[in-house]
Amino acid sequence: MITRVKAVYLYIREKGTVSTREIADEFGTTDRTIQRDLTILTHNGLVKSPIRGKWKTTAKPVKISS
């Protein structure tokens, strides 16, 4: 699960602003599953949703490890 959360973060960072549906389609999962991942990322201050259903990364510095 942690791997998918990281991948979701990296996908958002790469694409800019994306919808929950776009993320779910990219990862072949349901909107609800992606929403749980986004909740984790939001709780940690890594993504935000300035427009309902659209997501983008925050300016919080992130160290990505393999």
Side-chain angles (χ1 to χ4, degrees), residues 16-41:
T17 302
V18 294
S19 70
T20 305
R21 168 80 352 231
E22 288 174 90
I23 301 167
D25 288 346
E26 176 69 21
F27 290 91
T29 189
T30 65
D31 288 359
R32 184 63 195 120
T33 298
I34 293 302
Q35 191 61 49
R36 283 190 291 268
D37 296 345
L38 291 167
T39 298
I40 293 167
L41 292 168

Side-chain angles (χ1 to χ4, degrees), residues 37-50:
D37 296 345
L38 291 167
T39 298
I40 293 167
L41 292 168
T42 301
H43 179 74
N44 287 289
L46 299 175
V47 300
K48 62 183 177 180
S49 180

